[in-house]
Amino acid sequence: AIEEEAHVTQFQVIGHAGGGLELRFEPAVADAHAAFACCRHAIRTLLAQHGVTGTRITFSAAGPLREHASGKLRRVVSAPPRH
């Protein structure tokens, strides 16, 4: 939904315990705040189509999380557990 609706391809959505979502962007994204606004709208629209409302969607200035072993970037991930 993000790529098609917001026209943003260099992002990562991190799901947190409690249902919140965090959006992170690759450094190559020139205006991450504008990209965030577009992505947040696309996500909210998609969730509303499925009857989900009130999801907290936050912007993060941190870079996307990568797989430890391969360095691969996954677009949608669950937040690592906090110890």
Side-chain angles (χ1 to χ4, degrees):
I2 291 175
E3 292 165 332
E4 295 83 8
E5 297 297 320
H7 305 288
V8 176
T9 59
Q10 298 176 314
F11 67 91
Q12 184 176 62
V13 178
I14 301 173
H16 290 275
L21 300 175
E22 174 185 348
L23 286 171
R24 294 183 178 192
F25 298 92
E26 294 279 353
V29 174
D31 188 346
H33 289 284
F36 171 73
C38 292
C39 292
R40 181 178 56 194
H41 176 75
I43 292 170
R44 284 191 173 151
T45 299
L46 176 67
L47 292 176
Q49 290 170 352
H50 293 278
V52 178
T53 60
T55 300
R56 184 172 179 226
I57 303 170
T58 58
F59 172 84
S60 175
L65 301 172
R66 296 196 176 268
E67 293 288 324
H68 292 291
S70 68
K72 183 175 181 169
L73 173 66
R74 300 208 182 267
R75 294 290 172 215
V76 180
V77 298
S78 294
R82 294 183 183 183
H83 299 295

